[in-house]
Amino acid sequence: MAEDQILRLIPWFFAGIGLLFASIGLAMAKKEMRGRRWHEVEGRIVGHDSHWSSDSDGDRTLMHTATIEYRLAGVTKQIPDSLSTNHPKAVGSIMRVRYNPDDPHDVMIWAPMRNGCFIGLFVGLGSLFALVGGVWIAFTMIG
């Protein structure tokens, strides 16, 4: 009897996990695109914050987070990049900085869909799991 209940819950699990992952992907895409109508200023990489990072196997990699300097209303400011890489971008490289005109303290590095592949995987695989779970649930209810 318990085995039969578990088999009936599996499609719901597939659908639920799929909807969760698709929702996370869509939320990430929305956050990534929030600055599309904000005002833009030019920023430049002025340095890097370097740190060692370890993966689950204990392998260590030197990661670099760029520090971007920009001017807004005559004031020079700095912000860290939201993405760390193991190959630092060149100091002096131009970066696009966008700020919310309603709240100039709300700034972001503008690189639309920088994480597009990652977001696509979340939305795509999440949708696939939700679809498989939904079809499985439909066939279970029919049969």
Side-chain angles (χ1 to χ4, degrees):
M1 185 74 169
E3 188 176 312
D4 185 47
Q5 289 176 334
I6 291 172
L7 288 175
R8 281 186 288 176
L9 290 177
I10 290 174
W12 290 96
F13 175 77
F14 261 77
I17 291 296
L19 289 173
L20 176 67
F21 271 71
S23 298
I24 290 170
L26 291 172
M28 289 167 51
K30 181 179 178 185
K31 182 179 180 190
E32 185 99 4
M33 295 304 293
R34 70 187 169 107
R36 70 179 174 260
R37 295 207 172 121
W38 289 0
H39 297 211
E40 186 172 305
V41 294
E42 184 178 279
R44 288 194 184 275
I45 296 177
V46 294
H48 296 89
D49 175 29
S50 300
H51 60 278
W52 288 96
S53 178
S54 298
D55 64 14
S56 60
D57 295 330
D59 296 329
R60 293 170 46 93
T61 304
L62 185 59
M63 300 298 289
H64 309 277
T65 305
T67 300
I68 294 102
E69 186 174 273
Y70 65 99
R71 288 183 62 80
L72 185 59
V75 178
T76 301
K77 300 180 179 196
Q78 290 185 349
I79 58 169
D81 195 350
S82 58
L83 184 67
S84 295
T85 63
N86 58 352
H87 297 290
K89 297 174 188 163
V91 170
S93 296
I94 295 173
M95 301 289 287
R96 296 163 63 187
V97 177
R98 290 218 172 165
Y99 65 94
N100 183 345
D102 298 327
D103 180 10
H105 297 292
D106 190 6
V107 297
M108 67 186 300
I109 304 304
W110 183 247
M113 300 313 283
R114 176 191 290 188
N115 297 319
C117 182
F118 189 63
I119 291 170
L121 281 172
F122 262 77
V123 173
L125 288 176
S127 298
L128 179 64
F129 268 66
L131 179 66
V132 168
V135 169
W136 194 348
I137 290 167
F139 278 121
T140 303
M141 290 186 170
I142 291 172

